[in-house]
Amino acid sequence: MEMTTAAAVEKQGYKLTKLGWIPEEWDVRKLDDVAEIHNHLRFPLSETVRKGMQGPYPYYGPTKAQDYLDHFRVEGKYVLIGEDGDHFLKFQTHPMTLLVDGQYNVNNHAHLIKGTESCETEWVYWFFNSRDLTNDITRQGAGRYKLTKDALKRLLLVVPPVAEQRAIINILNGLKIQEKVILALVKAKSTYKSGLMQQLLTGQLRFPEFQGQPWHEQRISSLITESRIPGSNGKAAKKLTVKLYGKGVLAKNERQIGSVNTKYYARKAGQFIYSKLDFLNGAFGLIPEELDGYESTLDLPTFDISPEVDASLLLAYFSREEFYARFADIAAGGRKAVRIGPEELLKKKILLPSLPEQQRIAAVLNACDQEIELLQAQLRQWQQQKKGLMQQLLTGQLRVPNSL
């Protein structure tokens, strides 16, 4: 049903409410009128106490299971919605509700909600799942927000007839299952690629045409050379950042302008770059064409790559935890404080096949990456479609014929 104007909606049997236009037979109610809050079932426990109570029953916070305990206090289906935290600000990308069932426990940072005869528990879950609650929360110090029980009771929600609620819930559950299927495909393909990469980069799996050809140990300094082309400063530079675990190189989005006293260096497309601070978290990448000419400080050292080595293969080699974890023993102060300088990287040796075999390996791994990227694009497209369909179903703009 296409609705372009308020008048058109009204003619089709809709009414204007505090939550916008909804079907005439739907209502807008306070949560306290159509659902029950069961916070008396909460079980606040410190991490220290929980260590002595380990078991099979989930111990939920507002967004996920925080632990597993040896007994349970809650049984059945409930909706969890956070009582405090900063996740309320992330409603566009993170769910605001969690649907739990079975036998489990809930900490004191989540409200427990159960539906009634007039409002299904899962309707509450879906209605508030992506809802902006920022107008209903209070500020509790720096970066701390709270949805009090009284504020929770006053939350307004749209309530269709129960039959229509159930029909909509079935559709939304189906969309959620489809999303999980795509997520599972992405995970499976990523796991397959990781295993394949390990075998190919260690010579456990060889292509027939290269069988019998030796690999040679090479010092990394013979493969890459640090680049220090003078650039601008912290105020003028277009800056780069490197994501963790080989997830790529991006333009840095800074909220504050940098200092004119900070020296920056120009970087070129195709160069290898890493983060000194996050070396042990796999912060490696190749600078893409669109970021040619961007800059970084020496905290993100950058290197020209020898034509005698395949750049994609070298990145794959460096991005394996088996490689970068070898550097953990050279730094003091724990993983978060570790900085790995170019001199430490360059003096290491690695075992590599001939350039043709490198290129063959890189082609296979790049094909895997393309398949993963295609699945991830499908997932993003599906999630966007799901979000739009959810909005239409939960407001009655799109009706389920068999439930009317």
Side-chain angles (χ1 to χ4, degrees):
M1 180 188 303
E2 183 177 354
M3 293 168 286
T4 56
T5 65
V9 174
E10 192 171 14
K11 288 179 182 178
Q12 296 294 329
Y14 285 71
K15 61 186 178 184
L16 185 60
T17 70
K18 291 181 179 180
L19 295 181
W21 290 94
I22 64 172
E24 287 184 343
E25 60 270 32
W26 291 25
D27 292 321
V28 172
R29 306 288 297 276
K30 291 180 181 178
L31 182 68
D32 194 41
D33 294 334
V34 294
E36 301 170 351
I37 300 172
H38 290 253
N39 286 357
H40 61 282
L41 296 174
R42 299 193 297 190
F43 196 22
L45 293 170
S46 69
E47 184 176 359
T48 302
V49 172
R50 297 200 307 268
K51 285 181 179 179
M53 303 172 59
Q54 296 296 290
Y57 300 106
Y59 182 73
Y60 287 106
T63 60
K64 63 181 180 180
Q66 306 284 347
D67 211 335
Y68 290 84
L69 306 182
D70 57 8
H71 66 282
F72 66 91
R73 177 175 288 189
V74 189
E75 186 169 15
K77 186 181 294 184
Y78 286 85
V79 177
L80 305 185
I81 189 167
E83 179 174 336
D84 49 34
D86 63 355
H87 64 282
F88 295 112
L89 308 181
K90 304 173 184 177
F91 63 92
Q92 293 182 327
T93 55
H94 292 69
M96 295 293 99
T97 52
L98 182 65
L99 187 68
V100 292
D101 201 355
Q103 298 170 329
Y104 50 91
N105 299 280
V106 179
N107 69 19
N108 59 319
H109 296 289
H111 299 289
L112 290 88
I113 306 169
K114 180 178 279 292
T116 61
E117 291 183 356
S118 62
C119 183
E120 295 284 315
T121 300
E122 287 184 68
W123 180 259
V124 177
Y125 163 74
W126 281 112
F127 187 82
F128 290 109
N129 190 255
S130 300
R131 196 132 189 105
D132 180 3
L133 300 175
T134 53
N135 290 330
D136 302 287
I137 58 178
T138 55
R139 190 77 175 263
Q140 305 269 315
R144 195 70 176 172
Y145 301 88
K146 189 175 184 70
L147 178 66
T148 65
K149 184 176 180 181
D150 286 340
L152 178 67
K153 290 179 177 181
R154 294 193 298 269
L155 290 181
L156 296 179
L157 73 160
V158 169
V159 183
V162 172
E164 195 165 359
Q165 288 181 42
R166 290 172 179 167
I168 294 170
I169 289 167
N170 286 337
I171 293 173
L172 295 178
N173 286 342
L175 295 176
K176 187 176 181 180
I177 291 171
Q178 181 62 31
E179 183 177 5
K180 286 184 176 180
V181 169
I182 302 176
L183 278 168
L185 289 173
V186 172
K187 184 177 180 180
K189 194 65 181 179
S190 298
T191 301
Y192 169 77
K193 186 231 175 177
S194 295
L196 181 63
M197 182 169 69
Q198 175 66 15
Q199 291 183 303
L200 290 172
L201 293 179
T202 57
Q204 298 175 48
L205 183 63
R206 302 286 300 273
F207 298 102
E209 63 268 33
F210 298 109
Q211 289 287 350
Q213 294 186 16
W215 289 30
H216 299 283
E217 191 175 59
Q218 301 185 54
R219 196 175 296 277
I220 293 175
S221 60
S222 69
L223 305 173
I224 58 176
T225 305
E226 187 175 6
S227 173
R228 293 194 179 188
I229 303 171
S232 57
N233 56 61
K235 183 176 182 180
K238 295 188 296 182
K239 300 167 188 174
L240 294 169
T241 187
V242 186
K243 298 185 71 175
L244 305 183
Y245 308 112
K247 296 293 180 65
V249 182
L250 303 174
K252 188 174 184 179
N253 184 17
E254 282 194 316
R255 295 183 179 180
Q256 295 181 340
I257 298 175
S259 170
V260 294
N261 297 319
T262 304
K263 180 63 178 174
Y264 274 73
Y265 296 85
R267 308 312 191 184
K268 298 184 294 184
Q271 289 180 323
F272 169 70
I273 186 172
Y274 78 86
S275 167
K276 287 182 180 179
L277 183 61
D278 283 311
F279 187 98
L280 295 183
N281 293 314
F284 310 112
L286 297 177
I287 298 175
E289 290 289 340
E290 63 269 21
L291 298 182
D292 184 65
Y294 275 63
E295 303 179 29
S296 73
T297 67
L298 295 181
D299 281 335
L300 299 179
T302 305
F303 304 82
D304 295 315
I305 301 173
S306 166
E308 299 303 315
V309 64
D310 185 273
S312 296
L313 178 129
L314 193 65
L315 176 61
Y317 196 104
F318 288 166
S319 298
R320 293 181 307 132
E321 186 176 2
E322 292 84 351
F323 171 76
Y324 60 76
R326 290 159 47 190
F327 291 78
D329 60 349
I330 68 172
R335 288 178 65 93
K336 292 185 178 179
V338 170
R339 287 179 181 268
I340 304 297
E343 65 282 356
E344 298 294 341
L345 174 64
L346 294 174
K347 69 183 182 183
K348 292 286 187 181
K349 294 180 180 180
I350 60 176
L351 197 63
L352 289 177
S354 65
L355 182 58
E357 188 172 358
Q358 291 178 39
Q359 293 168 337
R360 185 84 163 83
I361 293 171
V364 170
L365 296 180
N366 288 338
C368 288
D369 286 335
Q370 290 172 5
E371 292 179 23
I372 293 170
E373 289 169 6
L374 179 61
L375 286 170
Q376 289 173 333
Q378 292 175 350
L379 177 62
R380 289 191 295 270
Q381 183 180 29
W382 178 259
Q383 289 172 332
Q384 191 63 31
Q385 291 174 345
K386 186 190 81 169
K387 185 176 180 180
L389 191 56
M390 278 179 59
Q391 175 64 20
Q392 290 182 308
L393 287 168
L394 293 171
T395 58
Q397 297 175 51
L398 183 64
R399 308 296 296 276
V400 184
N402 293 339
S403 67
L404 302 179

